[in-house]
Amino acid sequence: MIVSYGSWPSPLSAARVTAGALRLDQIYLDAGDVYWIEGRASEGGRSVIVRRGDDDAIVDVTPAGFNVRSRVHEYGGAAYTVHNGTVFFSNYSDQRVYQQERGKAPEAITEGNGACYADYRLDVTRSRLIGVREKDGENAIVSIPGQVLVEGADFYSDPIVSPDGKFLAWLEWRHPNMPWDGTELWVAMFKADGSIGAREHVAGGRTESIFQPEWAPDGRLYFVSDRTGWWNLYRWDGASVEAICPMEAEFGKPQWTLSMVTYAFVGRTHIAATYTQDGRWKLARINVETKAFEGVGLDVEPLESIKARAAEIFFIGGSPTRPSAVMTAGGQVLRSSTTDVIPPEWISVAEAVTYRAGDRDVHAFYYPPTNPEVQAPAGEHPPLLVITHGGPTGATIDVLDPKVQFWTSRGFAVLDVNYSGSTGYGRPYRDRLRGQWGIVDVEDAVAGAEAMVAAGKADPNRLIIRGGSAGGYTTLAALTFHNTFKAGASYYGISDLEVLQQDTHKFESRYNDTLIGPYPEAKEVYIARSPIHFTDRLSCPIILFQGLEDKVVPPNQSEMMADAVRKKGLKVKYVTFEGEQHGFRKAENIITSLEEELAFYRDVFGMA
């Protein structure tokens, strides 16, 4: 059957690519049990702790009415821990910490006084829970519910107790740094009353980012540092720091959420480590005594939350033809992120591409249109959907995403761009965005579209750009300051950088100092890079999506843009969702946004 690109019939409906979808996160091992979190779109985005026991049965731990999610740093993460079958977790609605013993109902152990908690660790020696607390704009490491252990810095993460119970290690950082700009690793000795005594600075600073400190079974302290330009593994023995495995690869990530991990100890002599090269994640075993590095061949990418016990390694992984899942390095799947299996002939497998934008190389993944039941007319090129990821400090990966296949199965090509400033390619690539947000990321997206046109992979008259959050800003800036794209979709994107600077949450309140310049000194730069002030340059249709409870990018950002485009007489649609925050979690809203976006493009381009 011959059908024009973009009009292909597809069985991958918005409901199908959303139904049963799970956001998998934070694996924990406790005796013979494996725990993880499932974010369930079908339950309004509720996050549930589940457990897989020795009998392989998977059961919900979190009872109905509870949603395991923290608001520390707004993005949360590390919202629970488990010890000897007892679970401690943050409940989203009241942000109280609950203790739940096996077979019993949760019981609150903190007051509902406006404080948020996360990043929990058990201090077994003193029979107490330690975590990060955020209250009244102040952050601290505390024992829960009472004693303040460490305070004074703007942010904290990873409070970890040494195996002998004598020391506490943690990360801290200060404005205007984000954790990938520069953090400090500290160690302190516990005093007899459980408070913190003498402390020592181990590593890190304003321009060195430390990631995932971890005590080894022998009491030495491991961590990841980007001091060479790559996030690599190091070890501190109490006196000096040494590199474990120096290589041009990233063993760290941008710490948008708390307690992210890329390595785990396998016994006393080996580490199972995940790392990324050329945009793809891999697994290795490292002998910490000999420093021997041994790559582990996998048919998946180990993406998140690696944990290990004995010779068994767990992680959340996936591949270009398999959706993400909780699995073992041996290939056993404990839980897939989707209940639907897309037949392989319908899957568009990404091609890693590198192209030039000015004087620099830029990396991306290109997905060709794929549909076994139709073909396009001879000589026709497909519409191209350029995706700009959020952050902007972050990265996209090529693991199977049913929502990408929603587009490719209908005859759209997709270019998912790791623009300058993305992680996974070393600190110099990440630092390209310093002072250049709204410039180089936009240029990279435009150059990507032009490169695909030049390669015969896209129709120059049907170029589309879409993105969420920071990617939404890049989308709006590309549509405003360039004429390459013919339509665009902004999901909770930023239109006025100056208004955002005065209206966002603490964690990101100084982020733009690095990306743009200090405010108000650089006020004119903020204005010059804000699409809202240059809507006269717009010349194409836009659709905007916004959660009305978004605290990260408030709704006024999308409202202002929709009003300005409407006044200019351009085609615009503004779609809002009650009860959604930053990133849509409810199945019905995800489905609606996909359907509305597709209908918008088909109307703009006259697709059947």
Side-chain angles (χ1 to χ4, degrees), residues 28-307:
Y28 263 111
L29 306 180
D30 183 57
D33 296 332
V34 184
Y35 294 76
W36 62 86
I37 282 184
E38 295 180 359
R40 298 173 178 172
S42 61
E43 297 183 27
R46 187 170 79 102
S47 292
V48 179
I49 301 168
V50 299
R51 180 183 69 247
R52 177 183 178 273
D54 288 334
D55 59 357
D56 294 342
I58 296 175
V59 298
D60 285 2
V61 174
T62 311
F66 289 90
N67 182 2
V68 182
R69 186 177 164 203
S70 170
R71 297 196 71 156
V72 173
H73 300 175
E74 194 60 40
Y75 293 103
Y80 85 105
T81 191
V82 58
H83 180 71
N84 290 341
T86 298
V87 174
F88 302 87
F89 68 89
S90 296
N91 183 46
Y92 183 72
S93 61
D94 57 14
Q95 286 301 296
R96 298 173 74 179
V97 182
Y98 288 77
Q99 177 175 331
Q100 182 180 0
E101 297 181 14
R102 182 75 66 92
K104 297 183 179 180
E107 295 184 2
I109 59 174
T110 61
E111 300 297 327
N113 57 5
C116 306
Y117 300 86
D119 220 353
Y120 305 114
R121 305 295 196 285
L122 264 295
D123 181 4
V124 178
T125 302
R126 296 159 195 84
S127 301
R128 63 181 181 176
L129 185 67
I130 289 175
V132 173
R133 184 187 70 188
E134 188 168 83
K135 182 181 181 184
D136 299 328
E138 301 294 330
N139 292 52
I141 296 173
V142 301
S143 65
I144 297 171
Q147 185 178 21
V148 174
L149 301 178
V150 186
E151 60 183 342
D154 291 315
F155 302 100
Y156 293 95
S157 73
D158 298 271
I160 53 173
V161 181
S162 62
D164 60 10
K166 294 180 179 179
F167 299 94
L168 179 72
W170 70 89
L171 293 181
E172 64 180 51
W173 64 98
R174 292 166 175 79
H175 282 315
N177 271 6
M178 299 297 282
W180 47 85
D181 296 321
T183 52
E184 298 174 3
L185 173 58
W186 289 82
V187 172
M189 181 177 288
F190 284 114
K191 296 164 69 172
D193 64 356
S195 64
I196 294 298
R199 63 182 68 185
E200 181 173 352
H201 175 244
V202 175
R206 301 293 289 185
T207 59
E208 180 185 1
S209 173
I210 307 298
F211 175 88
Q212 194 192 343
E214 206 78 65
W215 292 104
D218 64 8
R220 290 182 288 186
L221 183 62
Y222 286 70
F223 59 93
V224 173
S225 166
D226 69 353
R227 60 181 60 183
T228 65
W230 296 91
W231 267 316
N232 279 187
L233 276 164
Y234 293 83
R235 176 173 62 204
W236 181 69
D237 61 6
S240 61
V241 170
E242 62 176 326
I244 299 299
C245 184
M247 57 189 293
E248 291 188 354
E250 298 275 52
F251 290 78
K253 294 184 175 185
Q255 191 173 257
W256 280 103
T257 59
L258 291 163
S259 196
M260 300 171 75
V261 295
T262 58
Y263 68 93
F265 288 94
V266 185
R268 300 183 67 86
T269 60
H270 283 81
I271 285 176
T274 61
Y275 63 100
T276 182
Q277 284 181 318
D278 302 322
R280 291 189 166 108
W281 284 88
K282 306 173 184 179
L283 177 67
R285 286 173 59 92
I286 302 171
N287 186 314
V288 297
E289 302 302 334
T290 66
K291 300 182 181 179
F293 177 95
E294 178 188 1
V296 178
L298 298 174
D299 60 0
V300 295
E301 296 183 48
L303 304 171
E304 306 281 353
S305 198
I306 185 169
K307 292 291 191 297

Side-chain angles (χ1 to χ4, degrees), residues 298-548:
L298 298 174
D299 60 0
V300 295
E301 296 183 48
L303 304 171
E304 306 281 353
S305 198
I306 185 169
K307 292 291 191 297
R309 61 185 178 202
E312 199 170 23
I313 301 169
F314 299 83
F315 52 74
I316 298 168
S319 78
T321 58
R322 295 171 59 184
S324 60
V326 177
M327 61 179 64
T328 69
Q332 182 183 11
V333 173
L334 280 64
R335 179 82 93 190
S336 175
S337 61
T338 177
T339 57
D340 189 23
V341 177
I342 300 176
E345 63 270 21
W346 284 90
I347 295 175
S348 176
V349 176
E351 170 194 356
V353 297
T354 301
Y355 57 87
R356 297 290 288 178
D359 61 351
R360 59 188 180 272
D361 284 340
V362 181
H363 307 292
F365 294 108
Y366 175 82
Y367 296 82
T370 302
N371 185 316
E373 297 181 354
V374 297
Q375 56 183 328
E380 183 181 347
H381 297 300
L384 176 71
L385 202 63
V386 173
I387 299 178
T388 53
H389 64 71
T393 307
T396 188
I397 54 176
D398 63 341
V399 168
L400 178 64
D401 181 350
K403 295 181 185 64
V404 170
Q405 308 301 316
F406 172 85
W407 297 104
T408 56
S409 64
R410 286 169 169 76
F412 290 79
V414 171
L415 185 72
D416 207 353
V417 182
N418 273 322
Y419 50 78
S420 296
S422 301
T423 54
Y425 303 93
R427 179 145 189 163
Y429 195 92
R430 193 165 85 236
D431 282 349
R432 287 181 185 177
L433 210 59
R434 295 179 72 89
Q436 296 296 308
W437 190 32
I439 304 296
V440 297
D441 53 316
V442 176
E443 292 173 351
D444 290 356
V446 169
E450 293 173 343
M452 296 306 102
V453 169
K457 295 180 176 180
D459 180 349
N461 296 313
R462 293 188 292 176
L463 299 177
I464 307 163
I465 185 169
R466 75 189 297 263
S469 189
Y473 166 66
T474 301
T475 291
L476 294 175
L479 294 171
T480 303
F481 300 116
H482 296 263
N483 295 317
T484 302
F485 297 101
K486 310 307 178 185
S490 169
Y491 283 72
Y492 34 88
I494 302 155
S495 62
D496 191 326
L497 294 168
E498 188 179 16
V499 170
L500 180 74
Q501 184 67 21
Q502 300 164 356
D503 199 25
T504 193
H505 58 124
K506 177 186 176 183
F507 181 63
E508 292 184 87
S509 62
R510 300 287 301 278
Y511 189 17
N512 288 341
D513 284 26
T514 300
L515 296 174
I516 302 169
Y519 187 87
E521 294 88 339
K523 178 176 180 175
E524 294 306 315
V525 181
Y526 282 72
I527 293 172
R529 295 189 194 171
S530 294
I532 195 66
H533 299 301
F534 301 93
T535 53
D536 60 304
R537 301 187 188 182
L538 281 168
S539 60
C540 69
I542 301 176
I543 186 168
L544 303 106
F545 299 91
Q546 181 69 48
L548 294 180

